[in-house]
Amino acid sequence: MLDHLFQRGRDAVARARRVERRELREFRRWAETTDRLVHLSVLVFVPLLIGLVTALANALPTLTFLLFPPLASGTYTLFVDPRGRYSAPGRFVGGLTIGAACGLGALWVSKHALAAPQGEFQVAAASAALAVLATGVVTWPLDIEEPSAYSTALLALLVQPTQRVPFLLSIFLASSLVASVFVVWRSRFYDRRATVLYESTTGDDHVLVPMRGEHAGATAMLAGRLASAHEAGKVVLLDIVENVAHAEAKQALLEGHGRGTAESPPNDAVTESMRATVDRLETHADRVETQMGVPCQVVVAASEDPGVATLQAAEEANCDLVVAPYESEHGALTPYLRQLFRGSTDVVVHRSREGRRRWKRVLVPVRRASNVAHHMIDFALRLAGGSGHVAVATCIGDRSNGRRRAESMLADLVEPFAGPIETRVAQTGIHSFLSSAGPQYDLIIVGASRDRSAASRFVAPPTFERLDDIDTDVAIVDRSR
């Protein structure tokens, strides 16, 4: 009884851990886009930094609470647009500090040359105008214009005479503290989010290739180029047969390097066919190892269900990516490929036109920023290499007013990646754009559109199902859920 309860407890803990890992993975992928990452950072860092400065103000009586409004708005400006015009740390600190100095200067002029205000919390209109004018005049030529600087200039007019120097000093110290945290966050996390946060750039280095179809060798080379981007990369070529005895005989031939160390099947014709297949697989493996510099092994699996065999082989070989040759049936993907899409391993389906083995010019059409889009860009950079060219494009149809938003989306997508990346916004439909631009590239990488509803897919079929007439290699990328 106790053993049974103990086992049930262990099973419950294991299930909870699986759920926790899945939820964490889903949250990570949700937060992978730049827009969401920035807003999450704003929600975290702005309150924490303002709280920290408040704690310091409570501990140090010389710090005045008048600094909080401009500091809060300035901090938000820093984090919400980390590479924007107003997100330079020097501009942030200098703008706030000079704004405070200009306000104090205007207060001094008001006291000695202008009419003083009547109430305790009243400010002369001329003093306010002079503070704003001085801030603009000083910050413009110094190129440290900062919106919050005008707030500090006006708030300085309310500072009591004994608090003027502490106010100026507190603005400088508090803004310097915020700027320091921002610099660390931007350099150590935001600018490195492609490697720190994006799973696509750290995974998919162990690649399984089911050797099916006429251009399986070209697909194996594509897999080798993807795997060679990482030091720990490897490629596994998979041959699937229905008969267990044949699988064992092929595996024995592979282990004996074609010398027939195992008992051969009784049919000599089948034996010769096996030897030819094994020789072909070994040739492909040697080519991948020699040209790509990654280890490549060959395995044989026996199964009447090739989809199940492929996914099981990927798990047993510790492969996190399956790169499969393209197969179609009645204008759509075969049930085998759709079964791979339903698995728990990332999948790339490669349609080769003429057995191309190098892809120096790669086009990546995207609909929106997403973890799949990051995945596709990372793959494009791996395939193109340092001397290649990658273009990331989006289509806005006839909506000319959507160009600015599309350009911003593309800029956010490509910014984390290092490499020669061009962005293109086409004011046309996706199929028309790919028909005209596709032949200029060696490869087009598209998503599998798994996030679309059945109704949406019925009205507008996935992009990859409309590329049969484009004479260019195509790679369809699907991320496991």
Side-chain angles (χ1 to χ4, degrees), residues 131-204:
V132 172
L133 175 62
T135 302
V137 168
V138 175
T139 58
W140 181 18
L142 294 177
D143 195 27
I144 54 173
E145 291 177 292
E146 166 68 35
S148 297
Y150 295 92
S151 298
T152 59
L154 291 175
L155 288 173
L157 301 178
L158 301 176
V159 176
Q160 298 299 316
T162 58
Q163 293 292 317
R164 290 172 186 173
V165 174
F167 174 74
L168 184 62
L169 184 61
S170 63
I171 285 288
F172 174 76
L173 293 178
S175 59
S176 297
L177 172 63
V178 170
S180 299
V181 174
F182 170 74
V183 168
V184 173
W185 171 82
R186 188 173 66 177
S187 62
R188 298 296 181 87
F189 184 76
Y190 180 79
D191 288 346
R192 298 172 56 192
R193 60 193 183 278
T195 55
V196 173
L197 184 64
Y198 299 173
E199 293 177 311
S200 60
T201 61
T202 57
D204 295 326

Side-chain angles (χ1 to χ4, degrees), residues 224-351:
R225 292 190 183 278
L226 292 177
S228 65
H230 296 161
E231 293 183 1
K234 75 171 184 179
V235 176
V236 178
L237 306 184
L238 173 66
D239 183 41
I240 303 175
V241 297
E242 295 183 359
N243 187 288
V244 175
H246 289 181
E248 292 176 349
K250 278 189 176 182
Q251 193 65 50
L253 287 174
L254 288 167
E255 294 173 356
H257 301 286
R259 291 188 296 270
T261 58
E263 181 179 354
S264 300
N267 189 321
D268 292 338
V270 173
T271 303
E272 291 303 319
S273 174
M274 285 184 182
R275 291 184 182 277
T277 301
V278 168
D279 289 342
R280 185 169 62 254
L281 291 172
E282 289 185 326
T283 299
H284 289 315
D286 291 341
R287 183 180 293 119
V288 170
E289 286 189 345
T290 302
Q291 298 186 17
M292 296 297 101
V294 294
C296 183
Q297 66 181 101
V298 182
V299 298
V300 182
S303 176
E304 297 182 356
D305 190 331
V308 171
T310 301
L311 295 174
Q312 183 176 353
E315 182 178 356
E316 292 176 352
N318 194 29
C319 292
D320 46 10
L321 176 66
V322 174
V323 177
Y326 180 82
E327 301 175 5
S328 64
E329 186 177 87
H330 308 298
L333 297 182
T334 60
Y336 166 72
L337 293 180
R338 295 188 181 277
Q339 187 174 7
L340 296 186
F341 282 167
R342 292 192 295 268
S344 58
T345 306
D346 292 349
V347 178
V348 172
V349 174
H350 172 226
R351 189 197 72 182

Side-chain angles (χ1 to χ4, degrees), residues 8 27 32 40 52 62 80 101 134 149 202 247-249 270 279 282 306 319 337 339 345 353 416 441 443 446 463 467:
R8 292 187 61 181
F27 175 77
E32 191 172 303
L40 285 174
L52 176 60
T62 56
V80 80
T202 57
E248 292 176 349
V270 173
D279 289 342
E282 289 185 326
C319 292
L337 293 180
Q339 187 174 7
T345 306
R353 280 302 193 194
Y441 295 88
L443 177 69
V446 298
T463 301
L467 299 181

Side-chain angles (χ1 to χ4, degrees), residues 347-366:
V347 178
V348 172
V349 174
H350 172 226
R351 189 197 72 182
S352 177
R353 280 302 193 194
E354 299 177 353
R356 181 189 298 274
R357 299 178 187 273
R358 293 181 66 85
W359 302 268
K360 303 303 292 183
R361 295 181 57 83
V362 185
L363 175 63
V364 184
V366 298

Side-chain angles (χ1 to χ4, degrees), residues 34-164:
T34 298
D35 182 65
R36 291 169 180 164
L37 172 63
V38 166
H39 281 84
L40 285 174
S41 298
V42 168
L43 291 177
V44 172
F45 285 97
V46 175
L48 286 179
L49 287 171
I50 297 303
L52 176 60
V53 174
T54 303
L56 292 175
N58 291 333
L60 303 174
T62 56
L63 292 181
T64 172
F65 283 92
L66 291 176
L67 65 90
F68 291 116
L71 188 67
S73 63
T75 304
Y76 173 82
T77 302
L78 276 180
F79 282 93
V80 80
D81 189 9
R83 285 298 175 187
R85 176 184 178 186
Y86 298 111
S87 294
R91 182 191 299 271
F92 172 71
V93 176
L96 291 182
T97 306
I98 289 178
C102 289
L104 294 176
L107 187 62
W108 184 88
V109 172
S110 174
K111 178 181 178 181
H112 291 84
L114 302 174
Q118 300 297 318
E120 181 180 357
F121 293 102
Q122 291 183 345
V123 176
S127 299
L130 182 60
V132 172
L133 175 62
T135 302
V137 168
V138 175
T139 58
W140 181 18
L142 294 177
D143 195 27
I144 54 173
E145 291 177 292
E146 166 68 35
S148 297
Y150 295 92
S151 298
T152 59
L154 291 175
L155 288 173
L157 301 178
L158 301 176
V159 176
Q160 298 299 316
T162 58
Q163 293 292 317
R164 290 172 186 173

Side-chain angles (χ1 to χ4, degrees), residues 321 341 346-349 372 375-376 379 445-450 464 475-479:
L321 176 66
F341 282 167
D346 292 349
V347 178
V348 172
V349 174
V372 178
H375 218 54
M376 295 191 296
F379 283 169
I445 300 181
V446 298
S449 301
R450 287 276 300 275
F464 66 81
I476 307 167
V477 176
D478 178 74
R479 294 206 68 176

